[in-house]
């Protein structure tokens, strides 16, 4: 198993690896110009699991506020790999998809929900810990979400 994507690219370039199933989005534009580049669509969902047994995440209003605070369009711009942002679990074209289902980006709605949940002074909102694996793209996404959530205070 090769953990670092840059190592995998070096192995591919030196002929020690036949194919790569994941490329760092920061280098995708350059890598896509290579003669051997080929791309296939993939259905992928990105999410964070939450400990809903522990405050403040045991409050559905807080969880909804977090969902409203994430700008999915900005996330796909950061990744720049042609991803399509969705606000629910199903993408367009999949049976059961409904365009108006899910939570869209709305910092104002996020603040309103946090106030309803008892956090009118966001400086008193407890610190949350966000964990992710060491994939470069996951780090970029995690850092963006962290930045967005900090702006709510």
């Amino acid at each position: 198993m090769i953990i670092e994507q840059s190592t995998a690219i070096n192995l591919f370039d030196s002929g020690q690896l036949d194919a790569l199933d994941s490329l760092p989005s920061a280098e995708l534009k350059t890598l896509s110009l290579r003669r051997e580049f080929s791309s296939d669509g993939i259905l992928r969902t990105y999410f964070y699991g939450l400990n809903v047994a522990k405050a403040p995440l045991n409050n559905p209003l807080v969880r909804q506020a977090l969902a409203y605070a994430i700008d999915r369009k900005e996330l796909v711009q950061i990744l720049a790999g042609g991803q399509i942002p969705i606000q629910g679990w199903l993408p367009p074209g999949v049976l059961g998809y409904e365009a108006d289902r899910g939570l869209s980006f709305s910092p104002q709605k996020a603040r309103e929900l946090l106030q309803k949940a008892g956090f009118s002074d966001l400086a008193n909102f407890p610190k949350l810990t966000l964990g992710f694996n060491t994939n470069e793209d996951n780090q970029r996404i995690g850092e963006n979400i962290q930045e967005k959530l900090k702006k709510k205070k």
Side-chain angles (χ1 to χ4, degrees), residues 2-151:
I2 302 165
I3 296 172
E4 295 293 325
Q5 291 176 318
S6 57
T7 301
I9 292 169
N10 290 336
L11 291 170
F12 178 84
D13 288 343
S14 67
Q16 298 177 54
L17 196 59
D18 294 323
L20 299 170
D21 66 352
S22 178
L23 298 171
S25 63
E27 298 177 42
L28 192 55
K29 191 173 186 177
T30 303
L31 293 171
S32 68
L33 299 174
R34 292 179 169 198
R35 145 186 89 67
E36 65 270 14
F37 180 82
S38 172
S39 177
D40 294 318
I42 184 171
L43 178 59
R44 176 183 261 167
T45 302
Y46 192 98
F47 70 95
Y48 289 109
L50 304 173
N51 183 354
V52 299
K54 190 175 172 185
L57 298 175
N58 61 343
N59 186 328
L61 295 174
V62 171
R63 296 193 304 267
Q64 285 179 351
L66 293 177
Y68 276 114
I70 296 170
D71 187 349
R72 290 156 189 80
K73 288 180 183 174
E74 187 172 290
L75 292 179
V76 298
Q77 289 172 349
I78 288 169
L79 296 176
Q83 298 90 347
I84 300 169
I86 60 173
Q87 57 192 31
W89 285 98
L90 299 174
V94 172
L95 183 64
Y97 169 76
E98 296 177 43
D100 59 345
R101 191 121 168 120
L103 304 176
S104 58
F105 176 59
S106 175
Q108 179 60 37
K109 181 74 172 170
R111 281 188 285 277
E112 290 170 12
L113 288 167
L114 287 174
Q115 286 179 351
K116 276 186 185 178
F119 296 102
S120 53
D121 182 3
L122 296 180
N124 293 329
F125 191 82
K127 179 180 175 183
L128 299 176
T129 301
L130 178 64
F132 52 87
N133 69 26
T134 58
N135 175 289
E136 297 164 21
D137 289 343
N138 291 339
Q139 181 175 350
R140 293 167 66 204
I141 290 170
E143 288 171 353
N144 177 272
I145 290 173
Q146 179 183 36
E147 175 188 326
K148 294 291 182 208
L149 295 179
K150 280 184 176 181
K151 285 184 179 179

